[in-house]
Amino acid sequence: MNSIKTEGQMPAAPDPHLYNEDLAPARQNWNAYNIFAFWMADIHSVGGYVLAASLFGLGLMGWQVLISLLVGILVVQCFANAVARPSQRTGVPFPVICRMAFGTKGANVPAVIRGIIAVVWYGIQTWLASNALLLVLLRWFPGLESWTQVSFVGLSALGWFCFALMWVLQALVFWRGMDTIRRFNDWAGPLVYAVMFALAGWIVWSAGPSNISLSLSSQTLSGGEALWQMVVAAVLVAGYFAGPTLNFGDFSRYCATEKAVRRGNFWGLPVNFLVFSIITVVVVSGTPQIFGEMLTDPIETVARIDSATAAVLGVFAFVAATIGINIVANFVAPAFDFSHVAPEKISWRMGGMIAAVGSIFLTPWNLFNNPELIHYTVGVLAGLIGPLYGIILMDFYKVRRQKIDLDALFSSDAASAYHYQGGVNPVALRSLIMGGLVSIPISLAPLGDISSFAVFFGGGVAALAHGWQSGLWRRNAAGKAAASRS
């Protein structure tokens, strides 16, 4: 097993077609708090808020939901720890790690898949945040209503202004580099916590403690139905984090030690997610008593508060949180992925801007308003996330037994460990297709709760296919036979 990389260790004679400064081993100076802040940015968002609220509306009792949340987020923690290890040891990002399983050129397949998914969601998240900002501006400045009467490509003039503002703010944070992104997340997550605690306190005081409940459903399930919904809830939690966890190596590569990664994952995932979920359900459960209807959008909740100062602070906090999650989940990933396609021509910053500009041409508001199109477009791509997990983890932990050849990651030599057949590993590609043939139909078909399991079914099939084709079990059987003969 390779030892943890020390700062300054670089591959020998890297091929310029596979190497640039952004893909090279990084300077490792992050600590556990930085990883904790990464997960706060990922969780403390409108999407995380709505997810938590929806789980408490499944008809389960409060303690049943909390158990489901805990199980689901522990699964995420296990995958995050597993994905983090190879990148932390080598200091290289997700697409470079994929070279071990897919080959130095074949790694572009998972990189492009992850990159396209991120671009689509980057555009949608940016538009959703800008739309929330638009609604708040209209409430505070009714005179802006005239700006909504003129539209271009399906978006009003005021909508374009808000979208452009959010787009530029995110681009400015990204352009300044990973240190700026780290510092931004270090304060954005705690800021949302401060607002959420204050909001929860105000809700309890205004609605009365007797109107606060850990159940948002009018009916309560029992027996087998309750157990099944608990399983579904846990799977939904795991599925929600599948995208950002897949390329978690893009961030763990900056950590000084693997212990710091694990500590940050512990505080950032199970502890942080449970606390945030409890605060969320407290806030949501009190909104009917105060506003006459249940509000599951935190921006709409804070916007309705009578105090203009409180509303401004709340909206600012959630906008900052949206910027944070969009950068860590949907900006950094395509930056590395697109840079990986042509390292000598595309830098990390250029890759990120390709993604950002591409998100504009997607016109995410039109995409979002066409549920069928987004379902099939994103569904097909998301259906491949599970198989990618299965192949990458099976290859690193079982086939290669956690051994990494740093020089081979950046070598085009036909004799290098990850060259395979012209830089492509056909075994990994076949395994990806096999897993996709299972996960994509399950993801797209109207199977109800079963569709939520697509990531796990596809991942399991791809992992088994990759291990079998790599000769893993035949090799183990031959080794046992040889040992018995000796």
Side-chain angles (χ1 to χ4, degrees):
M1 186 184 301
N2 285 18
S3 59
I4 294 176
K5 181 190 79 68
T6 57
E7 184 174 325
Q9 183 179 339
M10 292 290 168
D15 188 318
H17 297 293
L18 298 173
Y19 178 92
N20 62 30
E21 290 184 359
D22 301 309
L23 300 179
R27 181 169 175 262
Q28 296 180 307
N29 58 354
W30 285 28
N31 55 35
Y33 178 78
N34 300 135
I35 297 298
F36 173 45
F38 163 84
W39 289 116
M40 280 197 289
D42 205 23
I43 292 170
H44 299 183
S45 63
V46 175
Y49 186 101
V50 173
L51 171 69
S54 67
L55 297 180
F56 282 93
L58 291 176
L60 299 171
M61 298 178 66
W63 66 268
Q64 293 173 323
V65 178
L66 292 177
I67 290 177
S68 303
L69 291 174
L70 182 60
V71 171
I73 206 67
L74 285 175
V75 170
V76 176
Q77 183 186 5
C78 289
F79 277 100
N81 287 338
V83 169
R85 179 172 291 175
S87 285
Q88 192 283 321
R89 287 184 175 175
T90 58
V92 299
F94 163 75
V96 176
I97 289 298
C98 288
R99 293 174 182 176
M100 287 193 291
F102 286 86
T104 51
K105 293 182 179 178
N108 284 323
V109 173
V112 170
I113 290 172
R114 177 65 184 109
I116 293 176
I117 294 173
V119 171
V120 172
W121 283 113
Y122 175 79
I124 291 175
Q125 291 277 13
T126 301
W127 173 70
L128 289 175
S130 68
N131 194 50
L133 181 61
L134 179 147
L135 296 176
V136 172
L137 288 176
L138 287 177
R139 178 176 180 267
W140 292 334
F141 306 104
L144 294 175
E145 181 70 32
S146 60
W147 284 35
T148 64
Q149 306 305 315
V150 180
S151 65
F152 174 69
V153 199
L155 193 63
S156 69
L158 183 58
W160 272 107
F161 169 79
C162 293
F163 181 81
L165 179 61
M166 292 296 298
W167 191 95
V168 169
L169 288 175
Q170 292 174 132
L172 287 175
V173 174
F174 169 81
W175 191 261
R176 292 184 63 85
M178 286 301 297
D179 278 343
T180 298
I181 293 173
R182 173 180 57 81
R183 289 194 295 268
F184 182 88
N185 286 333
D186 282 352
W187 66 261
L191 175 62
V192 175
Y193 251 143
V195 171
M196 287 289 288
F197 274 112
L199 183 59
W202 181 81
I203 288 285
V204 172
W205 178 77
S206 301
S210 61
N211 291 306
I212 304 300
S213 171
L214 286 184
S215 177
L216 303 179
S217 177
S218 57
Q219 60 176 359
T220 302
L221 302 176
S222 59
E225 287 185 335
L227 180 60
W228 172 248
Q229 286 303 318
M230 289 176 70
V231 173
V232 170
V235 170
L236 287 173
V237 171
Y240 177 79
F241 292 99
T245 305
L246 178 64
N247 65 286
F248 180 55
D250 291 343
F251 301 89
S252 68
R253 66 183 295 222
Y254 297 102
C255 263
T257 65
E258 188 176 342
K259 183 178 180 180
V261 176
R262 290 179 172 276
R263 188 182 298 120
N265 285 344
F266 171 75
W267 289 103
L269 286 167
V271 175
N272 177 47
F273 188 58
L274 284 179
V275 172
F276 183 79
S277 298
I278 292 172
I279 299 173
T280 295
V281 74
V282 168
V283 172
V284 174
S285 67
T287 55
Q289 182 71 18
I290 299 172
F291 302 111
E293 61 178 318
M294 184 175 291
L295 303 178
T296 57
D297 186 334
I299 292 181
E300 185 177 358
T301 302
V302 297
R304 291 199 187 187
I305 297 175
D306 292 335
S307 170
T309 302
V312 169
L313 179 60
V315 171
F316 171 76
F318 279 104
V319 166
T322 301
I323 292 175
I325 184 178
N326 222 10
I327 290 175
V328 301
N330 302 316
F331 212 150
V332 171
F336 283 121
D337 294 334
F338 295 151
S339 177
H340 185 272
V341 174
E344 75 279 19
K345 298 178 180 178
I346 303 176
S347 67
W348 178 75
R349 284 184 172 84
M350 187 182 297
M353 295 314 296
I354 289 173
V357 173
S359 71
I360 299 175
F361 289 99
L362 280 175
T363 60
W365 46 91
N366 293 323
L367 187 64
F368 189 80
N369 290 326
N370 190 333
E372 189 170 306
L373 177 61
I374 193 172
H375 173 66
Y376 286 105
T377 301
V378 178
V380 169
L381 294 169
L384 296 175
I385 287 182
L388 290 177
Y389 270 109
I391 294 166
I392 293 167
L393 296 181
M394 174 64 77
D395 187 83
F396 176 67
Y397 284 95
K398 294 298 182 180
V399 176
R400 303 192 179 281
R401 295 185 173 88
Q402 303 186 45
K403 295 179 180 178
I404 307 173
D405 186 338
L406 181 63
D407 293 340
L409 288 174
F410 296 93
S411 174
S412 295
D413 192 318
S416 65
Y418 312 129
H419 186 72
Y420 300 106
Q421 298 179 17
V424 178
N425 184 6
V427 167
L429 295 183
R430 286 196 298 266
S431 300
L432 178 62
I433 293 172
M434 292 178 193
L437 289 175
V438 173
S439 60
I440 292 175
I442 294 175
S443 176
L444 297 179
L447 298 176
D449 293 335
I450 298 298
S451 296
S452 303
F453 292 79
V455 170
F456 294 95
F457 288 143
V461 169
L464 292 174
H466 188 76
W468 176 259
Q469 293 180 91
S470 299
L472 176 62
W473 292 284
R474 294 191 298 275
R475 186 173 63 208
N476 290 342
K480 290 180 180 178
S484 64
R485 287 195 298 269
S486 62

